[in-house]
Amino acid sequence: MEDRFIWKSDLGNGRYQNPILYADYSDPDVVRVEDDFYLIASSFNMSPGIPVLHSKDLVNWSIINHVTVDFPDSSYDRVRHGDGLWAPSLRYHDGWFWMFIGCPDEGIFMSKTKDPNGTWIPLHLVKKANGWIDPCPFWDEDGKAYLVHAFARSRIGFKHRLQVCEMAPDGESLLSEGEIIFFDEERHPTIEGPKMHKRNGFYYIFAPAGGVEFGWQTVLRSRSVWGPYEDKIVMEQGDSITNGPHQGGWVTTEDGEDWFIHFQDKGPYGRVTHLQPMQWQDDWPVIGQLDPSTGRGVPVTEWQKPNVSSAVDITVPATSDDFSGGNLEKQWQWRGNQKQEWYTLKDDSLILFCRAQPLGVHDLYDTPQILTQKIPAPSCTFETVIDFHGEQPGDSFVFGMFGYQYSGLVVTKEAKETILYLMNGDSDQSFPREKRERVCAMTNHEDLYFRLELKDGGECQLFFKERKDAQFEPIGSSFQAVKGHWVGAQIGIGSFHEQARKSDGFTRVHSFWIN
């Protein structure tokens, strides 16, 4: 399905604007293989996990795959907000693409593939550990391999430290318990997300510090893997509009240009992805545009595109879906380990079955069978068309914006009629989790139209109409999209059953459009 360019980074004149991805591809890492660039990002509790994106010029990206279908732990069948797959690293070594990921409650995992468009090996547990996060492998010229990682205080009781372990060259196990190679809480608090490289005899560790919203990019260097390491701040907000510029990957083009991809926290939009030019001075990187008064880089908002060998068409990750391809488009993710019983694709439609919410779940905040997408632009409109075929009382369909606070429209079959509700919820368990306000009884169950308009800044308004030739009517007051746990707000659709009984009810989704 062809998408309108509701946001594009490529300006069409040889220049680009940041962000290159106005969407929540957080904690990005990137590699180049010949003239192809590949990027991966965090996915936390979402399924499928670890999106894989492809580009020919670092500016125009498409989503091509995911590393894993789900997380190999049944506890992720439920919605474990903010847990799971944190801050991956991506490397190309010995003919393989390697992905390492830290899961704060389970340990360090690895997957690899010869073809990033194809199947990745199942997640392999490299190290069972609590609180080990943000791992990055490194293979040295002498054949030895290492792993650098950070720590999550919420799990292990401390942070602000980076550790290096010797690793088996096959990436499947660690050969040592590791040594702390950097700890400076006063100057670089919350240092994390390390990425190790080697250049001109120096070992470099690129590591963000200072926290997501207001942090900076630190680089460490040493003549030895084990240190001691010098440190330098190489990029900070300065006088730019880009807060907290840090955490990402360094990549070099075939032509020898150096670039750095990182994120910026944008509240309800999540952590959007930026591209910065990078240069070297005295064997230290400068990321962004040099501020002579500080000697540090400052993010650019617009710049000359990378010099690549061939012309590249303007491309953005898919957003809309007419469900005609036999599979869900790759931008979709479920909020827990996906189950085939939740859906199927048939007759150019998506069928969402009204399966029961998990035992003990009585609100949509913790319901896993909600199919979501990232917000893809500062302002846009989401629209879907459905037929609702409720069978049992409690069969429901939802269309809404989800985060710590969430709002949407819910169609629910009741004993004698089917009702449209306006739904508002809050993750704060000290308050009622969810409230529903009756809008109207449904006079029609087919060709039901739902719309959500998002304004720049995150203000939302819901709309509904019962037939194609009717006018959309606003439902309820406008509300603010709110981020979730480590993620931006997400647009979502889903069918579910509010009780434990078996139901054969379903929703047929004809299309989902973002423009």
Side-chain angles (χ1 to χ4, degrees):
M1 171 176 286
E2 183 178 353
D3 285 277
R4 298 179 183 179
F5 296 131
I6 50 178
W7 172 266
K8 61 179 180 180
S9 177
D10 194 326
L11 297 175
N13 59 0
R15 299 178 69 81
Y16 72 93
Q17 64 176 337
N18 275 316
I20 53 169
L21 295 167
Y22 210 116
D24 188 25
Y25 291 101
S26 63
D27 311 317
D29 198 14
V30 60
V31 297
R32 177 185 61 83
V33 178
E34 297 179 348
D35 63 349
D36 292 291
F37 299 95
Y38 298 93
L39 180 149
I40 61 175
S42 296
S43 59
F44 303 101
N45 54 287
M46 307 299 292
S47 168
I50 310 297
V52 182
L53 287 82
H54 171 261
S55 176
K56 285 286 188 177
D57 64 356
L58 294 172
V59 172
N60 294 283
W61 292 91
S62 58
I63 181 169
I64 61 170
N65 204 357
H66 288 83
V67 172
T68 181
V69 173
D70 54 22
F71 193 83
D73 185 319
S74 61
S75 67
Y76 286 87
D77 293 352
R78 302 174 75 93
V79 185
R80 291 183 51 179
H81 300 279
D83 294 344
L85 302 168
W86 287 19
S89 60
L90 180 64
R91 290 294 180 266
Y92 184 73
H93 169 72
D94 197 27
W96 290 87
F97 293 84
W98 303 75
M99 188 283 308
F100 279 71
I101 190 82
C103 304
D105 301 300
E106 291 84 17
I108 304 297
F109 290 82
M110 177 271 289
S111 180
K112 64 181 182 178
T113 185
K114 290 281 189 179
D115 177 11
N117 294 276
T119 302
W120 294 67
I121 70 166
L123 292 177
H124 169 81
L125 182 61
V126 177
K127 169 71 175 180
K128 185 177 181 179
N130 194 53
W132 287 31
I133 58 170
D134 305 357
C136 178
F138 174 76
W139 288 268
D140 212 343
E141 295 104 333
D142 61 4
K144 290 186 176 181
Y146 303 91
L147 187 86
V148 60
H149 71 91
F151 296 94
R153 182 166 63 187
S154 59
R155 271 53 171 205
I156 204 170
F158 59 85
K159 58 178 180 177
H160 316 300
R161 298 163 173 82
L162 300 180
Q163 177 167 275
V164 170
C165 307
E166 190 169 356
M167 182 178 74
D170 63 8
E172 294 189 0
S173 62
L174 301 183
L175 304 180
S176 71
E177 284 301 310
E179 296 181 17
I180 302 296
I181 52 86
F182 191 78
F183 174 43
D184 191 337
E185 179 178 354
E186 182 176 342
R187 296 178 61 247
H188 296 292
T190 317
I191 196 163
E192 55 191 356
K195 302 291 187 292
M196 183 175 280
H197 302 271
K198 193 173 185 181
R199 178 184 182 273
N200 289 352
F202 283 107
Y203 296 88
Y204 290 91
I205 298 176
F206 286 59
V212 168
E213 292 185 63
F214 306 109
W216 53 86
Q217 184 64 37
T218 300
V219 169
L220 314 177
R221 76 175 186 185
S222 175
R223 292 290 185 181
S224 167
V225 167
W226 304 105
Y229 280 89
E230 308 171 79
D231 63 278
K232 185 175 182 179
I233 296 176
V234 300
M235 180 176 60
E236 62 185 4
Q237 179 172 358
D239 60 2
S240 78
I241 61 172
T242 306
N243 61 293
H246 68 317
Q247 183 135 347
W250 161 32
V251 66
T252 304
T253 67
E254 284 189 301
D255 200 43
E257 293 180 346
D258 292 307
W259 296 85
F260 188 77
I261 288 181
H262 67 95
F263 71 65
Q264 173 200 12
D265 186 278
K266 292 281 287 184
Y269 298 93
R271 286 175 271 181
V272 303
T273 311
H274 289 238
L275 175 68
Q276 302 296 337
M278 182 173 132
Q279 297 180 346
W280 292 87
Q281 290 187 354
D282 301 322
D283 282 321
W284 285 105
V286 176
I287 300 174
Q289 196 164 19
L290 178 65
D291 180 347
S293 67
T294 63
R296 299 170 179 174
V298 174
V300 302
T301 56
E302 183 181 321
W303 203 254
Q304 191 75 19
K305 288 177 57 180
N307 184 21
V308 295
S309 58
S310 58
V312 177
D313 292 334
I314 295 178
T315 306
V316 299
T319 54
S320 300
D321 198 345
D322 62 6
F323 309 112
S324 62
N327 294 292
L328 287 171
E329 294 283 358
K330 293 180 173 61
Q331 71 270 18
W332 292 107
Q333 290 178 297
W334 303 91
R335 304 169 81 219
N337 282 342
Q338 61 181 290
K339 305 295 181 184
Q340 189 57 55
E341 68 186 42
W342 291 345
Y343 76 103
T344 190
L345 284 99
K346 183 179 180 182
D347 300 330
D348 295 339
S349 299
L350 168 66
I351 308 298
L352 296 172
F353 297 109
C354 296
R355 300 304 185 224
Q357 294 167 294
L359 187 65
V361 172
H362 302 291
D363 56 71
L364 290 175
Y365 183 70
D366 290 325
T367 296
Q369 58 263 43
I370 296 176
L371 189 60
T372 70
Q373 288 195 38
K374 309 171 190 302
I375 297 175
S379 60
C380 55
T381 298
F382 307 89
E383 189 171 314
T384 191
V385 186
I386 71 161
D387 302 337
F388 180 69
H389 299 275
E391 184 203 45
Q392 299 284 345
D395 284 353
S396 301
F397 167 79
V398 63
F399 168 83
M401 187 68 74
F402 290 86
Y404 281 132
Q405 296 171 6
Y406 53 101
S407 298
L409 297 173
V410 178
V411 179
T412 297
K413 180 177 175 57
E414 298 188 350
K416 296 182 179 180
E417 55 188 355
T418 298
I419 305 297
L420 176 68
Y421 289 97
L422 174 65
M423 172 269 297
N424 292 284
D426 195 310
S427 65
D428 188 343
Q429 299 206 29
S430 64
F431 294 93
R433 295 288 291 273
E434 198 166 280
K435 296 179 179 179
R436 298 190 187 182
E437 176 185 341
R438 180 185 171 116
V439 176
C440 63
M442 306 297 296
T443 61
N444 174 39
H445 293 174
E446 295 187 353
D447 288 338
L448 306 177
Y449 288 75
F450 298 78
R451 174 183 286 178
L452 187 149
E453 293 182 357
L454 172 79
K455 295 181 180 179
D456 196 352
E459 183 183 355
C460 300
Q461 177 65 57
L462 289 160
F463 298 83
F464 175 74
K465 65 179 182 178
E466 280 196 77
R467 61 184 189 275
K468 185 176 182 178
D469 59 354
Q471 295 293 318
F472 271 111
E473 296 292 338
I475 306 297
S477 301
S478 64
F479 61 93
Q480 179 67 32
V482 175
K483 67 180 180 181
H485 194 24
W486 301 129
V487 298
Q490 299 165 335
I491 188 72
I493 56 175
S495 278
F496 58 97
H497 184 66
E498 295 178 331
Q499 302 174 34
R501 71 178 66 152
K502 177 178 172 55
S503 174
D504 292 324
F506 66 92
T507 302
R508 181 184 297 275
V509 185
H510 294 288
S511 61
F512 186 93
W513 291 93
I514 304 180
N515 52 50

